[in-house]
Structure formats: C-alpha cells, structure tokens
Amino acid sequence: MPRTQLLGHIDMDTREWFDGVLTNSARQVVKEPKEVQSWIICDGDIDPEWIESLNSVLDDNRLLTMPSGERIQFAPNVNFPVRNT
C-alpha cells in the first residue's frame, strides 16, 4: 500500500487534506471511551517508505504525526501491533 493511501495526502492544488486508511482508523479509535479497548492491526509487508511514520506510534510516545503536520495521540486503551508477514 502506498504511503499516501495509508496515511493520507494533501492535494497540492487545493491544499485539502485527504485521510488515508490508517488515519481514518486512528480518528475513529481515539473517539472511543477510555474503557473500550481498540486495536489497529497492520498485517503485511512492512514498507520502509511508511514505517518511519509509525515509529512514534510504536514507542512510548504513542503519537501519530501525519504528513499534514497534524498529530493524533493514542491513549493506553489503543493497541497498535504491526506484524510483518
């Protein structure tokens, strides 16, 4: 999956942001109540092009920084395993 499809992209003509698959999922789970356990699972080949964007999500920061500069902070109730097949 290309990085733009996973994380989203900015239309350079209109400067409008379009969410990707992961960005859309992230927005949904951060809205869940803290007592709800949520999982975002990436299962497949790890693409070096987008894995750098996920480093801060996978470490103690639990923060997704998107290409637009927006940041999504994951609470402890969100689990984010990445499995390389």
Side-chain angles (χ1 to χ4, degrees):
M1 175 180 296
R3 184 174 186 236
T4 55
Q5 186 179 0
L6 181 73
L7 296 173
H9 68 280
I10 296 174
D11 182 310
M12 297 310 285
D13 294 329
T14 64
R15 308 299 288 169
E16 184 178 1
W17 173 257
F18 294 92
D19 280 344
V21 175
L22 178 61
T23 310
N24 186 39
S25 297
R27 290 187 195 284
Q28 290 176 17
V29 299
V30 297
K31 292 179 185 175
E32 293 290 335
K34 301 296 183 223
E35 58 274 357
V36 173
Q37 288 291 316
S38 298
W39 292 78
I40 297 176
I41 300 172
C42 295
D43 185 11
D45 293 336
I46 302 292
D47 187 331
E49 183 180 319
W50 53 260
I51 194 61
E52 282 299 317
S53 301
L54 300 179
N55 278 342
S56 63
V57 174
L58 301 174
D59 68 15
D60 291 339
N61 293 327
R62 303 177 57 82
L63 182 68
L64 174 63
T65 303
M66 297 183 297
S68 66
E70 182 182 356
R71 295 177 175 177
I72 297 177
Q73 182 73 58
F74 292 105
N77 66 317
V78 178
N79 299 289
F80 200 101
V82 175
R83 192 177 110 201
N84 192 11
T85 57

